[in-house]
Amino acid sequence: MDFKAYYANQQKLVENYLKNRIAKKGISKVDEAMEYSLMAGGKRIRPILLMAAAEAVGSKGYNYLPVACGLEMIHTYSLIHDDLPCMDDDDYRRGRLTNHKVFGEAMAVLAGDGLLTLAFEVMLEQKNVDPKVLIETVREMAMCAGNFGMVGGQGLDLEFEGKKITPEELRKLHAGKTGALFIAAIRGGAHLAGANDQQLLALTKFADLLGLAFQITDDILDVEGTEEELGKPVGSDAKNHKSTYVTLYGLQAAHELAEKTVAEALECLEMFGENAEPLREITRLMTDRKK
Amino acid sequence: MDFKAYYANQQKLVENYLKNRIAKKGISKVDEAMEYSLMAGGKRIRPILLMAAAEAVGSKGYNYLPVACGLEMIHTYSLIHDDLPCMDDDDYRRGRLTNHKVFGEAMAVLAGDGLLTLAFEVMLEQKNVDPKVLIETVREMAMCAGNFGMVGGQGLDLEFEGKKITPEELRKLHAGKTGALFIAAIRGGAHLAGANDQQLLALTKFADLLGLAFQITDDILDVEGTEEELGKPVGSDAKNHKSTYVTLYGLQAAHELAEKTVAEALECLEMFGENAEPLREITRLMTDRKK
């Protein structure tokens, strides 16, 4: 398959959907702050993963744009709140001023709240899916986004600040902070597309390993990469004295762990044959970002 | 009816449901911060309104505790974020330290995010309702809670800060900030209980007028009331130079407007007969708080 063309096409579908949906105005200027961050580009990896998981099960990904784009809104709100002065206090993201730098802190809090709320509204606009399946899917999205998943990982990040942590704690932290939304994306797409239990199990394992491989790659890039690849200053995690897979295992072992994890992730996709080609390519994209 | 006993019973149902649901732990200590604010008491007026609306339509309110309690979580998250230093910067709420005063700002942001997310998870746990009706109800809850409703009202609050505003702008501000969740509660309960279009229309109008009457009463109490009735220092809105129904209309006219609005609200309930008795009593409770 021509993966570059495929990815560009999926990205365009997501951009268009988000653009049209965010154009429906609310009653205040929180709109502007929401749109600023939502339409700031980015790889749109989570909605594209959701669509690719649906394709692995034999459906068309674009059928599930509302749920996919709701997930992107959850991701975006988490970035806005993460950048706040009381959290990571970042002035820039992807080369642009962060939300609170442009709109002020209070507006940035509301923009995040507004996007998280809109995410659920948009997901529940999904048509052509068995209502019971939609309820179960969106409920699971909430679970992955909350204190059982992403919010929980961010909470652990605060708890672990300045502490020496174990590999198990690091795994738990990232499983929540970044892994949970990958699981939400992949299980969500599979669920919506009518995956059976065996398929769902394989894709859940795949999602878990993909999240791990993604994080190890991120930690390696923090040492070896360029700012362009990282989207943040090189070595910023190390500078912030955060534990990473590189600080815990060393660079060589981190490389080996990443490769092993990617191989295991790809194994989970075997039963899906050709249909899983997009998921395989996205896995390579996410874990070999120097290419 | 013995309204005091009725209300105490409904309150107990809500407290128990919230207590049991929040006891299901996540992966981080954000739990503690979420629980601190969620279990801080309060009148639980929104979930009780939702249940009373279901009763007006002839159903039992306790059937809808998951959706009702999800709404209370949305209300609670909004209070936590509202109290943040970058928002209203309040140190106390209902006589207890605010969330960020106890857990720090970063944790308070996450506690709010966690509760908003959990709200949707819990609402989607609702059983014994037609899945299509549940989807439509929860979608509408999100609309009322977002930039079309509550978040939008908070945005307008920021926009209007220090400005002289018109009565229309004041109405729009409060319709979003407090009115939208009353509409969510009342329409939600009605919808879940299978209200027909005529009933839904009447209850929507009732909810809108109830929100208005509640706000005018609040503004009058800000001038005439005691701290106990208000849950905040007397005259704090006036001190913050906020426009209120009293500053815009004068005290006498505000009283008259409140009475007229309550009468109109109660008229909307006529078609429901005896079944609307809880809604009538709650209306009196909310708009005659000096009794």
Side-chain angles (χ1 to χ4, degrees), chain A residues 52-95:
Chain A
E55 284 162 19
V57 181
S59 190
K60 288 287 176 198
Y62 56 69
N63 286 331
Y64 311 109
L65 275 166
V67 177
C69 290
L71 192 60
E72 184 69 9
M73 289 176 184
I74 293 179
H75 173 59
T76 305
Y77 112 77
S78 78
L79 300 181
I80 296 173
H81 281 186
D82 232 23
D83 289 337
L84 286 170
C86 68
M87 305 283 282
D88 285 354
D89 195 13
D90 281 318
D91 292 353
Y92 289 92
R93 178 171 290 276
R94 294 178 191 141

mmCIF file of all heavy atoms in Angstrom, chain A residues 52-95:
data_model
loop_
_atom_site.group_PDB
_atom_site.id
_atom_site.type_symbol
_atom_site.label_atom_id
_atom_site.label_comp_id
_atom_site.label_asym_id
_atom_site.label_seq_id
_atom_site.Cartn_x
_atom_site.Cartn_y
_atom_site.Cartn_z
ATOM 1 N N ALA A 52 -7.853 2.864 11.773
ATOM 2 C CA ALA A 52 -7.070 1.725 11.285
ATOM 3 C C ALA A 52 -7.478 0.429 12.001
ATOM 4 O O ALA A 52 -7.464 -0.650 11.394
ATOM 5 C CB ALA A 52 -5.578 1.991 11.472
ATOM 6 N N ALA A 53 -7.837 0.559 13.278
ATOM 7 C CA ALA A 53 -8.289 -0.634 14.013
ATOM 8 C C ALA A 53 -9.617 -1.136 13.450
ATOM 9 O O ALA A 53 -9.842 -2.344 13.332
ATOM 10 C CB ALA A 53 -8.417 -0.323 15.499
ATOM 11 N N ALA A 54 -10.487 -0.195 13.090
ATOM 12 C CA ALA A 54 -11.749 -0.580 12.465
ATOM 13 C C ALA A 54 -11.477 -1.289 11.136
ATOM 14 O O ALA A 54 -12.145 -2.272 10.784
ATOM 15 C CB ALA A 54 -12.630 0.645 12.246
ATOM 16 N N GLU A 55 -10.472 -0.822 10.426
ATOM 17 C CA GLU A 55 -10.123 -1.425 9.136
ATOM 18 C C GLU A 55 -9.544 -2.827 9.321
ATOM 19 O O GLU A 55 -9.804 -3.723 8.510
ATOM 20 C CB GLU A 55 -9.165 -0.507 8.368
ATOM 21 C CG GLU A 55 -9.933 0.672 7.771
ATOM 22 C CD GLU A 55 -9.055 1.860 7.366
ATOM 23 O OE1 GLU A 55 -7.843 1.684 7.192
ATOM 24 O OE2 GLU A 55 -9.616 2.969 7.239
ATOM 25 N N ALA A 56 -8.785 -2.996 10.396
ATOM 26 C CA ALA A 56 -8.231 -4.334 10.672
ATOM 27 C C ALA A 56 -9.354 -5.358 10.805
ATOM 28 O O ALA A 56 -9.212 -6.522 10.436
ATOM 29 C CB ALA A 56 -7.381 -4.299 11.931
ATOM 30 N N VAL A 57 -10.495 -4.912 11.305
ATOM 31 C CA VAL A 57 -11.637 -5.797 11.526
ATOM 32 C C VAL A 57 -12.523 -5.887 10.271
ATOM 33 O O VAL A 57 -13.528 -6.597 10.245
ATOM 34 C CB VAL A 57 -12.431 -5.318 12.763
ATOM 35 C CG1 VAL A 57 -13.616 -6.188 13.061
ATOM 36 C CG2 VAL A 57 -11.518 -5.258 13.991
ATOM 37 N N GLY A 58 -12.130 -5.143 9.228
ATOM 38 C CA GLY A 58 -12.837 -5.273 7.959
ATOM 39 C C GLY A 58 -13.861 -4.196 7.672
ATOM 40 O O GLY A 58 -14.674 -4.316 6.754
ATOM 41 N N SER A 59 -13.852 -3.120 8.442
ATOM 42 C CA SER A 59 -14.788 -2.030 8.211
ATOM 43 C C SER A 59 -14.037 -0.833 7.598
ATOM 44 O O SER A 59 -12.824 -0.889 7.402
ATOM 45 C CB SER A 59 -15.433 -1.632 9.537
ATOM 46 O OG SER A 59 -16.495 -0.737 9.329
ATOM 47 N N LYS A 60 -14.759 0.222 7.283
ATOM 48 C CA LYS A 60 -14.108 1.427 6.766
ATOM 49 C C LYS A 60 -13.916 2.408 7.930
ATOM 50 O O LYS A 60 -14.879 2.725 8.627
ATOM 51 C CB LYS A 60 -14.991 2.087 5.689
ATOM 52 C CG LYS A 60 -15.025 1.319 4.398
ATOM 53 C CD LYS A 60 -13.695 1.460 3.652
ATOM 54 C CE LYS A 60 -13.677 0.607 2.387
ATOM 55 N NZ LYS A 60 -12.296 0.396 1.886
ATOM 56 N N GLY A 61 -12.720 2.907 8.086
ATOM 57 C CA GLY A 61 -12.408 3.789 9.203
ATOM 58 C C GLY A 61 -13.233 5.065 9.220
ATOM 59 O O GLY A 61 -13.653 5.543 10.276
ATOM 60 N N TYR A 62 -13.484 5.611 8.022
ATOM 61 C CA TYR A 62 -14.193 6.901 7.973
ATOM 62 C C TYR A 62 -15.627 6.826 8.486
ATOM 63 O O TYR A 62 -16.257 7.844 8.724
ATOM 64 C CB TYR A 62 -14.147 7.521 6.563
ATOM 65 C CG TYR A 62 -14.688 6.640 5.458
ATOM 66 C CD1 TYR A 62 -16.042 6.330 5.357
ATOM 67 C CD2 TYR A 62 -13.830 6.129 4.483
ATOM 68 C CE1 TYR A 62 -16.527 5.527 4.349
ATOM 69 C CE2 TYR A 62 -14.299 5.315 3.462
ATOM 70 C CZ TYR A 62 -15.650 5.027 3.400
ATOM 71 O OH TYR A 62 -16.138 4.231 2.391
ATOM 72 N N ASN A 63 -16.135 5.618 8.653
ATOM 73 C CA ASN A 63 -17.468 5.479 9.251
ATOM 74 C C ASN A 63 -17.525 5.964 10.694
ATOM 75 O O ASN A 63 -18.603 6.208 11.231
ATOM 76 C CB ASN A 63 -17.892 4.000 9.247
ATOM 77 C CG ASN A 63 -18.268 3.524 7.868
ATOM 78 O OD1 ASN A 63 -18.731 4.309 7.048
ATOM 79 N ND2 ASN A 63 -18.047 2.240 7.602
ATOM 80 N N TYR A 64 -16.354 6.037 11.322
ATOM 81 C CA TYR A 64 -16.330 6.298 12.764
ATOM 82 C C TYR A 64 -15.661 7.624 13.098
ATOM 83 O O TYR A 64 -15.072 7.790 14.171
ATOM 84 C CB TYR A 64 -15.657 5.113 13.476
ATOM 85 C CG TYR A 64 -16.249 3.805 13.022
ATOM 86 C CD1 TYR A 64 -15.537 2.918 12.225
ATOM 87 C CD2 TYR A 64 -17.573 3.490 13.333
ATOM 88 C CE1 TYR A 64 -16.120 1.737 11.764
ATOM 89 C CE2 TYR A 64 -18.163 2.321 12.878
ATOM 90 C CZ TYR A 64 -17.432 1.454 12.094
ATOM 91 O OH TYR A 64 -18.015 0.300 11.631
ATOM 92 N N LEU A 65 -15.756 8.583 12.194
ATOM 93 C CA LEU A 65 -15.114 9.891 12.415
ATOM 94 C C LEU A 65 -15.603 10.606 13.674
ATOM 95 O O LEU A 65 -14.789 11.222 14.371
ATOM 96 C CB LEU A 65 -15.285 10.784 11.177
ATOM 97 C CG LEU A 65 -14.223 10.565 10.086
ATOM 98 C CD1 LEU A 65 -14.646 11.226 8.785
ATOM 99 C CD2 LEU A 65 -12.858 11.107 10.536
ATOM 100 N N PRO A 66 -16.910 10.567 14.013
ATOM 101 C CA PRO A 66 -17.311 11.281 15.237
ATOM 102 C C PRO A 66 -16.583 10.767 16.484
ATOM 103 O O PRO A 66 -16.022 11.562 17.241
ATOM 104 C CB PRO A 66 -18.823 11.015 15.317
ATOM 105 C CG PRO A 66 -19.245 10.813 13.896
ATOM 106 C CD PRO A 66 -18.090 10.080 13.256
ATOM 107 N N VAL A 67 -16.560 9.462 16.679
ATOM 108 C CA VAL A 67 -15.869 8.935 17.862
ATOM 109 C C VAL A 67 -14.370 9.198 17.759
ATOM 110 O O VAL A 67 -13.717 9.603 18.737
ATOM 111 C CB VAL A 67 -16.149 7.427 18.055
ATOM 112 C CG1 VAL A 67 -15.362 6.893 19.237
ATOM 113 C CG2 VAL A 67 -17.636 7.183 18.279
ATOM 114 N N ALA A 68 -13.807 9.012 16.561
ATOM 115 C CA ALA A 68 -12.367 9.237 16.369
ATOM 116 C C ALA A 68 -11.991 10.674 16.709
ATOM 117 O O ALA A 68 -11.005 10.933 17.407
ATOM 118 C CB ALA A 68 -11.978 8.902 14.924
ATOM 119 N N CYS A 69 -12.792 11.613 16.228
ATOM 120 C CA CYS A 69 -12.472 13.028 16.445
ATOM 121 C C CYS A 69 -12.753 13.459 17.887
ATOM 122 O O CYS A 69 -12.081 14.349 18.413
ATOM 123 C CB CYS A 69 -13.220 13.898 15.446
ATOM 124 S SG CYS A 69 -12.567 13.671 13.773
ATOM 125 N N GLY A 70 -13.719 12.823 18.527
ATOM 126 C CA GLY A 70 -13.929 13.077 19.951
ATOM 127 C C GLY A 70 -12.680 12.718 20.746
ATOM 128 O O GLY A 70 -12.256 13.445 21.648
ATOM 129 N N LEU A 71 -12.066 11.613 20.367
ATOM 130 C CA LEU A 71 -10.838 11.188 21.040
ATOM 131 C C LEU A 71 -9.721 12.220 20.851
ATOM 132 O O LEU A 71 -8.958 12.512 21.779
ATOM 133 C CB LEU A 71 -10.409 9.827 20.480
ATOM 134 C CG LEU A 71 -9.329 9.088 21.253
ATOM 135 C CD1 LEU A 71 -9.780 8.791 22.678
ATOM 136 C CD2 LEU A 71 -8.959 7.795 20.548
ATOM 137 N N GLU A 72 -9.635 12.786 19.672
ATOM 138 C CA GLU A 72 -8.623 13.829 19.428
ATOM 139 C C GLU A 72 -8.886 15.056 20.306
ATOM 140 O O GLU A 72 -7.956 15.717 20.762
ATOM 141 C CB GLU A 72 -8.612 14.212 17.941
ATOM 142 C CG GLU A 72 -7.538 15.227 17.539
ATOM 143 C CD GLU A 72 -6.102 14.686 17.605
ATOM 144 O OE1 GLU A 72 -5.918 13.463 17.804
ATOM 145 O OE2 GLU A 72 -5.178 15.505 17.471
ATOM 146 N N MET A 73 -10.159 15.350 20.550
ATOM 147 C CA MET A 73 -10.502 16.474 21.437
ATOM 148 C C MET A 73 -10.043 16.187 22.876
ATOM 149 O O MET A 73 -9.573 17.082 23.570
ATOM 150 C CB MET A 73 -12.007 16.727 21.407
ATOM 151 C CG MET A 73 -12.478 17.320 20.096
ATOM 152 S SD MET A 73 -14.289 17.515 20.048
ATOM 153 C CE MET A 73 -14.493 18.116 18.363
ATOM 154 N N ILE A 74 -10.188 14.933 23.294
ATOM 155 C CA ILE A 74 -9.715 14.563 24.632
ATOM 156 C C ILE A 74 -8.201 14.745 24.706
ATOM 157 O O ILE A 74 -7.668 15.306 25.668
ATOM 158 C CB ILE A 74 -10.117 13.108 24.974
ATOM 159 C CG1 ILE A 74 -11.649 13.006 25.114
ATOM 160 C CG2 ILE A 74 -9.432 12.643 26.257
ATOM 161 C CD1 ILE A 74 -12.161 11.605 25.422
ATOM 162 N N HIS A 75 -7.514 14.274 23.672
ATOM 163 C CA HIS A 75 -6.059 14.451 23.638
ATOM 164 C C HIS A 75 -5.689 15.938 23.706
ATOM 165 O O HIS A 75 -4.812 16.340 24.475
ATOM 166 C CB HIS A 75 -5.514 13.809 22.355
ATOM 167 C CG HIS A 75 -4.068 14.060 22.121
ATOM 168 N ND1 HIS A 75 -3.090 13.671 23.017
ATOM 169 C CD2 HIS A 75 -3.416 14.687 21.101
ATOM 170 C CE1 HIS A 75 -1.895 14.029 22.540
ATOM 171 N NE2 HIS A 75 -2.074 14.654 21.398
ATOM 172 N N THR A 76 -6.391 16.757 22.931
ATOM 173 C CA THR A 76 -6.068 18.193 22.875
ATOM 174 C C THR A 76 -6.323 18.886 24.212
ATOM 175 O O THR A 76 -5.512 19.704 24.662
ATOM 176 C CB THR A 76 -6.904 18.893 21.776
ATOM 177 O OG1 THR A 76 -6.694 18.233 20.535
ATOM 178 C CG2 THR A 76 -6.496 20.354 21.630
ATOM 179 N N TYR A 77 -7.455 18.551 24.856
ATOM 180 C CA TYR A 77 -7.728 19.182 26.159
ATOM 181 C C TYR A 77 -6.614 18.851 27.140
ATOM 182 O O TYR A 77 -6.186 19.701 27.935
ATOM 183 C CB TYR A 77 -9.095 18.741 26.703
ATOM 184 C CG TYR A 77 -9.032 17.874 27.942
ATOM 185 C CD1 TYR A 77 -8.766 18.421 29.198
ATOM 186 C CD2 TYR A 77 -9.195 16.491 27.863
ATOM 187 C CE1 TYR A 77 -8.667 17.606 30.332
ATOM 188 C CE2 TYR A 77 -9.104 15.679 28.978
ATOM 189 C CZ TYR A 77 -8.831 16.236 30.205
ATOM 190 O OH TYR A 77 -8.712 15.446 31.317
ATOM 191 N N SER A 78 -6.114 17.602 27.067
ATOM 192 C CA SER A 78 -5.085 17.191 28.037
ATOM 193 C C SER A 78 -3.789 17.985 27.812
ATOM 194 O O SER A 78 -3.079 18.296 28.767
ATOM 195 C CB SER A 78 -4.831 15.684 27.951
ATOM 196 O OG SER A 78 -4.014 15.355 26.847
ATOM 197 N N LEU A 79 -3.506 18.323 26.568
ATOM 198 C CA LEU A 79 -2.311 19.133 26.284
ATOM 199 C C LEU A 79 -2.472 20.543 26.848
ATOM 200 O O LEU A 79 -1.549 21.103 27.430
ATOM 201 C CB LEU A 79 -2.061 19.211 24.772
ATOM 202 C CG LEU A 79 -1.823 17.890 24.035
ATOM 203 C CD1 LEU A 79 -1.569 18.149 22.551
ATOM 204 C CD2 LEU A 79 -0.666 17.113 24.642
ATOM 205 N N ILE A 80 -3.671 21.120 26.672
ATOM 206 C CA ILE A 80 -3.918 22.490 27.162
ATOM 207 C C ILE A 80 -3.738 22.549 28.674
ATOM 208 O O ILE A 80 -3.036 23.418 29.204
ATOM 209 C CB ILE A 80 -5.342 22.971 26.789
ATOM 210 C CG1 ILE A 80 -5.504 23.064 25.270
ATOM 211 C CG2 ILE A 80 -5.626 24.335 27.423
ATOM 212 C CD1 ILE A 80 -6.935 23.369 24.811
ATOM 213 N N HIS A 81 -4.347 21.602 29.376
ATOM 214 C CA HIS A 81 -4.242 21.615 30.842
ATOM 215 C C HIS A 81 -2.821 21.257 31.295
ATOM 216 O O HIS A 81 -2.323 21.801 32.279
ATOM 217 C CB HIS A 81 -5.275 20.675 31.449
ATOM 218 C CG HIS A 81 -6.665 21.261 31.495
ATOM 219 N ND1 HIS A 81 -7.729 20.646 32.105
ATOM 220 C CD2 HIS A 81 -7.147 22.443 31.010
ATOM 221 C CE1 HIS A 81 -8.813 21.411 31.983
ATOM 222 N NE2 HIS A 81 -8.485 22.487 31.318
ATOM 223 N N ASP A 82 -2.171 20.372 30.554
ATOM 224 C CA ASP A 82 -0.793 19.991 30.881
ATOM 225 C C ASP A 82 0.177 21.164 30.775
ATOM 226 O O ASP A 82 1.166 21.214 31.497
ATOM 227 C CB ASP A 82 -0.345 18.906 29.883
ATOM 228 C CG ASP A 82 0.198 17.692 30.580
ATOM 229 O OD1 ASP A 82 -0.162 17.487 31.755
ATOM 230 O OD2 ASP A 82 0.979 16.942 29.967
ATOM 231 N N ASP A 83 -0.091 22.062 29.872
ATOM 232 C CA ASP A 83 0.819 23.200 29.637
ATOM 233 C C ASP A 83 0.624 24.325 30.653
ATOM 234 O O ASP A 83 1.436 25.258 30.695
ATOM 235 C CB ASP A 83 0.591 23.773 28.225
ATOM 236 C CG ASP A 83 1.101 22.847 27.131
ATOM 237 O OD1 ASP A 83 1.983 22.012 27.431
ATOM 238 O OD2 ASP A 83 0.637 22.963 25.980
ATOM 239 N N LEU A 84 -0.449 24.266 31.447
ATOM 240 C CA LEU A 84 -0.758 25.353 32.392
ATOM 241 C C LEU A 84 0.408 25.627 33.344
ATOM 242 O O LEU A 84 1.176 24.718 33.664
ATOM 243 C CB LEU A 84 -1.999 24.994 33.224
ATOM 244 C CG LEU A 84 -3.352 25.069 32.515
ATOM 245 C CD1 LEU A 84 -4.446 24.458 33.403
ATOM 246 C CD2 LEU A 84 -3.712 26.517 32.159
ATOM 247 N N PRO A 85 0.534 26.864 33.802
ATOM 248 C CA PRO A 85 1.601 27.217 34.744
ATOM 249 C C PRO A 85 1.676 26.291 35.961
ATOM 250 O O PRO A 85 2.762 25.940 36.404
ATOM 251 C CB PRO A 85 1.232 28.645 35.170
ATOM 252 C CG PRO A 85 0.517 29.198 33.997
ATOM 253 C CD PRO A 85 -0.247 28.056 33.411
ATOM 254 N N CYS A 86 0.507 25.863 36.468
ATOM 255 C CA CYS A 86 0.540 25.006 37.661
ATOM 256 C C CYS A 86 0.896 23.563 37.323
ATOM 257 O O CYS A 86 1.148 22.752 38.220
ATOM 258 C CB CYS A 86 -0.795 25.062 38.406
ATOM 259 S SG CYS A 86 -2.157 24.302 37.510
ATOM 260 N N MET A 87 0.909 23.230 36.023
ATOM 261 C CA MET A 87 1.292 21.872 35.611
ATOM 262 C C MET A 87 2.723 21.961 35.046
ATOM 263 O O MET A 87 3.650 22.246 35.777
ATOM 264 C CB MET A 87 0.312 21.321 34.581
ATOM 265 C CG MET A 87 -1.149 21.341 35.027
ATOM 266 S SD MET A 87 -1.624 20.024 36.191
ATOM 267 C CE MET A 87 -1.786 18.640 35.043
ATOM 268 N N ASP A 88 2.913 21.754 33.749
ATOM 269 C CA ASP A 88 4.280 21.768 33.202
ATOM 270 C C ASP A 88 4.799 23.176 32.896
ATOM 271 O O ASP A 88 5.981 23.349 32.614
ATOM 272 C CB ASP A 88 4.329 20.922 31.916
ATOM 273 C CG ASP A 88 4.292 19.431 32.215
ATOM 274 O OD1 ASP A 88 4.351 19.076 33.408
ATOM 275 O OD2 ASP A 88 4.209 18.626 31.273
ATOM 276 N N ASP A 89 3.923 24.154 32.909
ATOM 277 C CA ASP A 89 4.295 25.551 32.654
ATOM 278 C C ASP A 89 5.077 25.714 31.355
ATOM 279 O O ASP A 89 6.213 26.193 31.350
ATOM 280 C CB ASP A 89 5.114 26.090 33.849
ATOM 281 C CG ASP A 89 5.215 27.612 33.801
ATOM 282 O OD1 ASP A 89 4.478 28.249 33.022
ATOM 283 O OD2 ASP A 89 6.050 28.166 34.537
ATOM 284 N N ASP A 90 4.463 25.308 30.262
ATOM 285 C CA ASP A 90 5.117 25.430 28.954
ATOM 286 C C ASP A 90 4.596 26.640 28.184
ATOM 287 O O ASP A 90 3.393 26.892 28.157
ATOM 288 C CB ASP A 90 4.875 24.159 28.123
ATOM 289 C CG ASP A 90 5.796 23.023 28.550
ATOM 290 O OD1 ASP A 90 6.983 23.299 28.791
ATOM 291 O OD2 ASP A 90 5.318 21.873 28.645
ATOM 292 N N ASP A 91 5.516 27.362 27.574
ATOM 293 C CA ASP A 91 5.132 28.546 26.786
ATOM 294 C C ASP A 91 4.859 28.209 25.324
ATOM 295 O O ASP A 91 4.146 28.932 24.635
ATOM 296 C CB ASP A 91 6.236 29.603 26.837
ATOM 297 C CG ASP A 91 6.380 30.206 28.222
ATOM 298 O OD1 ASP A 91 5.533 29.891 29.087
ATOM 299 O OD2 ASP A 91 7.324 30.977 28.433
ATOM 300 N N TYR A 92 5.496 27.121 24.861
ATOM 301 C CA TYR A 92 5.336 26.767 23.456
ATOM 302 C C TYR A 92 4.955 25.297 23.300
ATOM 303 O O TYR A 92 5.361 24.464 24.094
ATOM 304 C CB TYR A 92 6.645 27.002 22.680
ATOM 305 C CG TYR A 92 6.940 28.467 22.505
ATOM 306 C CD1 TYR A 92 7.723 29.143 23.438
ATOM 307 C CD2 TYR A 92 6.424 29.177 21.420
ATOM 308 C CE1 TYR A 92 7.988 30.499 23.302
ATOM 309 C CE2 TYR A 92 6.684 30.531 21.271
ATOM 310 C CZ TYR A 92 7.452 31.187 22.207
ATOM 311 O OH TYR A 92 7.700 32.510 22.067
ATOM 312 N N ARG A 93 4.177 25.032 22.264
ATOM 313 C CA ARG A 93 3.876 23.664 21.857
ATOM 314 C C ARG A 93 3.816 23.644 20.344
ATOM 315 O O ARG A 93 3.130 24.458 19.739
ATOM 316 C CB ARG A 93 2.553 23.197 22.464
ATOM 317 C CG ARG A 93 2.162 21.786 22.032
ATOM 318 C CD ARG A 93 0.978 21.242 22.777
ATOM 319 N NE ARG A 93 1.261 20.941 24.173
ATOM 320 C CZ ARG A 93 1.816 19.799 24.612
ATOM 321 N NH1 ARG A 93 2.184 18.869 23.760
ATOM 322 N NH2 ARG A 93 2.006 19.607 25.912
ATOM 323 N N ARG A 94 4.535 22.708 19.757
ATOM 324 C CA ARG A 94 4.621 22.628 18.291
ATOM 325 C C ARG A 94 4.940 23.989 17.680
ATOM 326 O O ARG A 94 4.322 24.402 16.686
ATOM 327 C CB ARG A 94 3.311 22.107 17.699
ATOM 328 C CG ARG A 94 3.015 20.666 18.072
ATOM 329 C CD ARG A 94 1.674 20.237 17.498
ATOM 330 N NE ARG A 94 1.255 18.951 18.075
ATOM 331 C CZ ARG A 94 0.003 18.654 18.406
ATOM 332 N NH1 ARG A 94 -0.954 19.540 18.233
ATOM 333 N NH2 ARG A 94 -0.298 17.480 18.899
ATOM 334 N N GLY A 95 5.853 24.738 18.295
ATOM 335 C CA GLY A 95 6.311 25.996 17.715
ATOM 336 C C GLY A 95 5.347 27.156 17.850
ATOM 337 O O GLY A 95 5.628 28.263 17.389
#
